[in-house]
Amino acid sequence: MAGKPKLHYFNGRGRMETIRWLLAAAGVEFDEQYIESKEDLKKLKSDGWLLFQQVPMVEIDGMKLVQVRAILNYFATKYNLYGKDVKERALIDMYCEGTMDLNETIMVLPFKPADVKEKELAEILEKASTRYFPAYEKVLKEHGQDFLVGKQLSRADVQLLETILMVEELNAGILSTFPLLKTFKARISNIPTIKKFLQPGSPRKPPLDAKEAAEVIKIFH
Amino acid sequence: MAGKPKLHYFKVRGRMESIRWMLAAAGIEFEEQYIDSKEDLQKLKNDGCLLFQQVPMVEIDGMKLVQTRAILNYIAGKYNLYGKDLKERALIDMYCEGTVDLNEGIMMLYFKPADTKEKELQSILEKASTRYFPVYEKVLKDHGQDFLVGKQLSRADVQLLESILMVEELKADILSTFPLLKAFKGRISNIPTIKKFLQPGSARKPAMDEKTAAEVIKKFH
């Protein structure tokens, strides 16, 4: 029976959050089955549901999709968030890969040993403010359009907003030198599907704290 | 002037090799501009050629594409190596992301501290033989076709062959328990464009070694 996508992951952001964002932006409702114990994960594996024994996994259209980018690519295309042609797709891919590189470092931060955490945090903020945000500020400045690529919302806008908000959780003033990203943030946040996702009670997950990180390690290691 | 793609990277495999494979498989000639010194890299940055101050970068069709996956997606799409529809693309993406994960471990191997290298090597070989290769063997077994996805060569075949050959460089008999992958390797290697790439004098780069890794570290860190 064709139904809602079903997400398999633990009850946290991790590598699934970008997928939640994309589905929400597309206005697609989804179910989530949380992995809460080692046994839950083992069952998924022994049932042969995880191609490479890993999550995220999303059940959609008769498939059990794994690998974050495979999942994102599928949904972005299906829900028309991947640009109008191969050149727009190339730009979208570049911009998205940048946000994903930055997200990766943020995602692993709670799992770093206490003695390196401060240094890692400083590096994240430095990369955000000297490598990534200037690139997106410049893109917006040069074309003066509302969206990063083309004339409509794409996954690049959604993924950039996600990243901006996560960096702001680490340093609230990070956009102070990026006026166009500030207005971008407000503009994209106001899109009805996204606005809804940003409200309490949505599937959006909170950031992980040290205690939760320790619990995740127990499940997966 | 529309010309050959131009690749900007170090004269090593690294993150550019999968791109070389893809272009070669598609029968596309390309040029390479090697980064031989810190100054070379700085010049690219100063000239504003690198969106996120990083290589790989490929000049193609009037664009300066960065981010390995963005480049691979563009080339695969342009040269018909990305399946015939959305569902084939999803399978291709899943399979490719698996090989990329495996490649990442191999690529980083020579940059690991000497005392962890042996352990890392064993970890790579274990992942190859218990997580990745069994999956591809099963895909081939389940459908009995020549190519991983659909009825024609796709990037999934190219990327899997690349991974197989790289793992074999670490352990020559890694395919001894994977008869279908053995046959797959023979078959895909014989495709004329790929056969040409596998011959001496092609754009294919040799495996990383201790000496070269040390030089790369010295030059760029």
Side-chain angles (χ1 to χ4, degrees):
Chain A
M1 170 183 116
K4 302 179 194 173
K6 191 175 194 179
L7 279 49
H8 294 261
Y9 202 63
F10 74 95
N11 190 358
R13 286 181 179 174
R15 297 185 188 285
M16 187 63 97
E17 192 72 353
T18 307
I19 295 164
R20 296 182 182 109
W21 267 92
L22 192 66
L23 288 170
V28 176
E29 275 184 39
F30 53 91
D31 292 330
E32 299 206 56
Q33 185 155 307
Y34 298 122
I35 296 163
E36 284 161 342
S37 66
K38 254 191 157 106
E39 288 64 43
D40 288 346
L41 183 57
K42 237 186 170 119
K43 183 168 198 309
L44 282 173
K45 290 182 186 182
S46 43
D47 286 350
W49 286 24
L50 307 178
L51 187 67
F52 300 116
Q53 315 308 320
Q54 297 166 317
V55 285
M57 186 271 276
V58 177
E59 298 181 70
I60 178 76
D61 296 339
M63 299 180 288
K64 288 178 172 56
L65 283 187
V66 297
Q67 292 287 352
V68 174
R69 285 167 175 92
I71 298 164
L72 289 171
N73 289 355
Y74 185 79
F75 285 135
T77 305
K78 183 171 165 145
Y79 298 118
N80 196 23
L81 288 166
Y82 219 157
K84 67 170 173 26
D85 58 33
V86 69
K87 282 212 165 177
E88 283 198 352
R89 248 200 67 174
L91 292 177
I92 288 168
D93 278 341
M94 277 203 293
Y95 301 159
C96 287
E97 286 295 307
T99 65
M100 290 181 77
D101 279 353
L102 185 50
N103 287 2
E104 182 80 18
T105 58
I106 297 170
M107 184 185 63
V108 299
L109 187 62
F111 300 95
K112 294 283 180 184
D115 59 341
V116 303
K117 213 173 273 194
E118 197 54 44
K119 179 165 165 272
E120 292 281 338
L121 173 59
E123 271 181 39
I124 291 168
L125 296 175
E126 207 216 322
K127 287 229 167 80
S129 56
T130 62
R131 174 177 287 186
Y132 294 106
F133 290 170
Y136 300 114
E137 181 83 5
K138 184 170 189 270
V139 166
L140 291 171
K141 184 170 190 192
E142 286 183 347
H143 63 44
Q145 302 292 320
D146 284 352
F147 303 106
L148 276 173
V149 179
K151 302 223 175 311
Q152 61 184 36
L153 184 74
S154 78
R155 62 184 286 194
D157 304 301
V158 182
Q159 292 187 221
L160 178 56
L161 176 61
E162 176 194 7
T163 297
I164 285 171
L165 295 182
M166 286 208 294
V167 178
E168 281 186 328
E169 285 167 348
L170 302 175
N171 180 342
I174 196 85
L175 289 192
S176 58
T177 50
F178 302 107
L180 296 178
L181 287 182
K182 252 195 191 148
T183 53
F184 170 87
K185 172 192 159 188
R187 199 162 57 241
I188 306 301
S189 298
N190 260 309
I191 290 169
T193 49
I194 295 175
K195 190 169 184 172
K196 189 174 169 198
F197 187 64
L198 290 172
Q199 269 149 15
S202 84
R204 188 175 183 222
K205 304 290 175 267
L208 212 59
D209 61 33
K211 177 165 163 281
E212 289 159 332
E215 283 173 28
V216 171
I217 290 171
K218 264 199 294 192
I219 298 175
F220 290 96
H221 291 267
Chain B
M1 170 185 113
K4 302 180 192 173
K6 191 175 194 180
L7 278 50
H8 295 261
Y9 200 64
F10 320 103
K11 197 174 181 181
V12 297
R13 288 181 180 175
R15 298 186 187 285
M16 187 62 96
E17 194 71 353
S18 295
I19 294 163
R20 296 180 182 110
W21 269 91
M22 189 82 57
L23 287 167
I28 304 301
E29 277 185 38
F30 53 91
E31 287 167 3
E32 300 209 54
Q33 186 156 304
Y34 298 118
I35 296 164
D36 288 325
S37 66
K38 255 191 161 123
E39 289 65 42
D40 288 344
L41 185 56
Q42 195 58 49
K43 183 172 198 307
L44 280 173
K45 292 181 186 183
N46 296 345
D47 290 349
C49 294
L50 309 177
L51 183 66
F52 301 118
Q53 314 309 319
Q54 296 165 315
V55 286
M57 187 271 276
V58 175
E59 297 181 68
I60 183 165
D61 297 338
M63 298 179 289
K64 288 182 172 56
L65 284 187
V66 297
Q67 291 289 348
T68 310
R69 288 173 173 92
I71 298 165
L72 288 172
N73 288 356
Y74 184 77
I75 295 167
K78 182 172 170 155
Y79 297 113
N80 196 24
L81 288 167
Y82 220 156
K84 69 170 172 27
D85 57 32
L86 183 57
K87 283 216 166 178
E88 284 197 354
R89 247 200 69 177
L91 291 176
I92 289 169
D93 277 342
M94 276 202 295
Y95 301 159
C96 288
E97 285 294 307
T99 66
V100 170
D101 280 353
L102 185 52
N103 289 359
E104 185 80 17
I106 298 171
M107 184 182 62
M108 300 309 289
L109 184 61
Y110 284 96
F111 299 96
K112 296 284 179 186
D115 58 343
T116 59
K117 217 170 275 191
E118 190 56 38
K119 180 162 163 273
E120 291 286 336
L121 172 58
Q122 290 314 315
S123 176
I124 289 167
L125 295 176
E126 207 217 322
K127 285 222 169 81
S129 56
T130 63
R131 172 176 287 184
Y132 293 107
F133 289 170
V135 168
Y136 301 114
E137 181 82 4
K138 182 173 191 284
V139 167
L140 292 170
K141 182 170 191 195
D142 284 350
H143 64 41
Q145 302 292 319
D146 283 352
F147 303 106
L148 277 173
V149 179
K151 301 223 175 311
Q152 62 184 36
L153 182 74
S154 78
R155 63 182 290 190
D157 305 301
V158 180
Q159 291 186 224
L160 178 57
L161 177 61
E162 177 192 7
S163 286
I164 284 171
L165 296 182
M166 286 208 293
V167 178
E168 279 186 329
E169 284 168 346
L170 300 174
K171 183 170 192 286
D173 64 350
I174 195 84
L175 290 192
S176 59
T177 50
F178 302 106
L180 296 178
L181 286 182
K182 249 193 192 151
F184 171 87
K185 172 192 158 188
R187 202 161 58 237
I188 305 302
S189 299
N190 260 310
I191 291 170
T193 49
I194 294 174
K195 189 170 184 170
K196 188 173 170 201
F197 187 63
L198 291 171
Q199 269 148 15
S202 83
R204 190 177 180 218
K205 301 295 174 275
M208 180 63 75
D209 56 31
E210 303 274 351
K211 181 163 164 283
T212 311
E215 278 171 30
V216 170
I217 291 171
K218 211 171 44 149
K219 275 189 203 171
F220 297 98
H221 286 268

